Amino acid sequence: SSGINAEWPLRPGDFELEMGFFVGPGNKFGDAIKMEDAADQIFGMVLMNDWSARDIQKWEYVPLGPFNGKNFGTTISPWVVTMDALAPFRLPLEPKTDPEPLPYLVEKDSYQFDIKLFTAIQGENMNKSEIVASSNFKYMYWSPRQQLVHHSVTGCNMRPGDLLGSGTISGTEPHEYGSMLELCWKGTKEVKLGDSGEIRKFLKDGDDVIMTGYAQGMGYRVGFGNCTGKVLPANQL
């Protein structure tokens, strides 16, 4: 678990439900990773919360792009689950057409993983956490292998232990959205925290965000441990 505080209040503070993957061997500077070698370059996966400050992000997004709105904290789960352990949970992917992958991103055997994911919030005055979103890693358009190949295509050297994030994992239904920005539909809807009587549009100081996930086998589960972080009051400038 981790505590997140910044030099200014995160007035639209947010989580982003993601998964991260760790690079294994890596590549030499100047040498791109080929798609046929990409699977052997990924060691394992974790749950990942890519914390976001939406007010800062909105201010700096044009023309600079996201920077301080995203760089103040990342939380991951304690267990790195190897790709071998996840192999039984592969799901074939339909051919991608929108957008169509560039030639170097085409996979002969395109697959994703069936990993059930949950995000819960527990406010300071709540006795227990309440789930606000349920999603699945299978909804991701691009695979971790494609992301890694794309990152290295200009010769960027990936090193053992480098962590890459999947991007926000959202399904097609409202309860499958992977951030408060989506769940509250940019602040136009209230999100009930179970039967606690509390509601949210974005996170508040003192909120614990707990992400969990697992792959379900026949009579067993492969889990990642809890990915937990607390929003702390901002330091005063």
Side-chain angles (χ1 to χ4, degrees):
S1 64
S2 59
I4 302 300
N5 67 330
E7 295 295 331
W8 47 78
L10 309 181
R11 292 210 164 84
D14 204 353
F15 64 81
E16 285 191 8
L17 173 62
E18 300 192 18
M19 295 198 72
F21 60 92
F22 286 99
V23 175
N27 58 304
K28 293 181 180 179
F29 180 73
D31 293 341
I33 296 174
K34 304 297 184 183
M35 184 57 68
E36 57 266 26
D37 301 322
D40 293 332
Q41 288 281 352
I42 300 175
F43 173 71
M45 300 185 71
V46 292
L47 307 178
M48 178 173 157
N49 184 354
D50 185 14
W51 299 89
S52 300
R54 298 301 185 188
D55 51 350
I56 301 166
Q57 184 180 8
K58 182 179 180 180
W59 178 84
E60 68 185 3
Y61 196 80
V62 179
L64 300 175
F67 184 55
N68 285 313
K70 302 289 292 182
N71 73 352
F72 59 91
T74 300
T75 304
I76 62 173
S77 55
W79 301 111
V80 182
V81 180
T82 65
M83 306 314 289
D84 286 342
L86 292 172
F89 309 104
R90 291 181 180 180
L91 293 174
L93 287 179
E94 295 295 325
K96 297 178 174 67
T97 58
D98 186 22
E100 185 175 345
L102 294 172
Y104 69 90
L105 290 174
V106 174
E107 292 186 282
K108 293 181 180 179
D109 180 22
S110 185
Y111 60 89
Q112 201 56 279
F113 296 101
D114 184 7
I115 303 173
K116 296 176 174 60
L117 301 166
F118 306 90
T119 303
I121 296 174
Q122 183 172 355
E124 285 188 308
N125 299 319
M126 295 171 58
N127 295 323
K128 62 185 180 70
S129 62
E130 296 288 351
I131 293 175
V132 295
S134 304
S135 192
N136 196 302
F137 189 64
K138 67 183 180 181
Y139 296 135
M140 295 303 295
Y141 187 79
W142 302 106
S143 72
R145 301 166 304 283
Q146 289 173 312
Q147 289 180 295
L148 180 60
V149 167
H150 185 62
H151 195 94
S152 73
V153 70
T154 56
C156 175
N157 56 319
M158 309 303 300
R159 297 174 294 182
D162 281 349
L163 174 66
L164 282 76
S166 65
T168 307
I169 304 168
S170 295
T172 57
E173 299 298 322
H175 71 275
E176 297 174 323
Y177 293 159
S179 68
M180 293 300 292
L181 183 69
E182 295 172 279
L183 288 167
C184 76
W185 210 246
K186 297 183 179 180
T188 62
K189 299 179 180 180
E190 294 180 336
V191 179
K192 293 183 179 180
L193 302 187
D195 297 325
S196 68
E198 296 210 22
I199 57 173
R200 293 288 188 277
K201 290 185 177 179
F202 292 95
L203 301 176
K204 295 182 177 181
D205 286 351
D207 282 351
D208 283 296
V209 178
I210 306 101
M211 295 178 176
T212 55
Y214 61 87
Q216 182 68 57
M218 293 294 292
Y220 72 97
R221 287 180 177 179
V222 176
F224 299 81
N226 288 359
C227 176
T228 304
K230 178 187 286 288
V231 180
L232 302 178
N235 297 326
Q236 297 300 312
L237 291 175

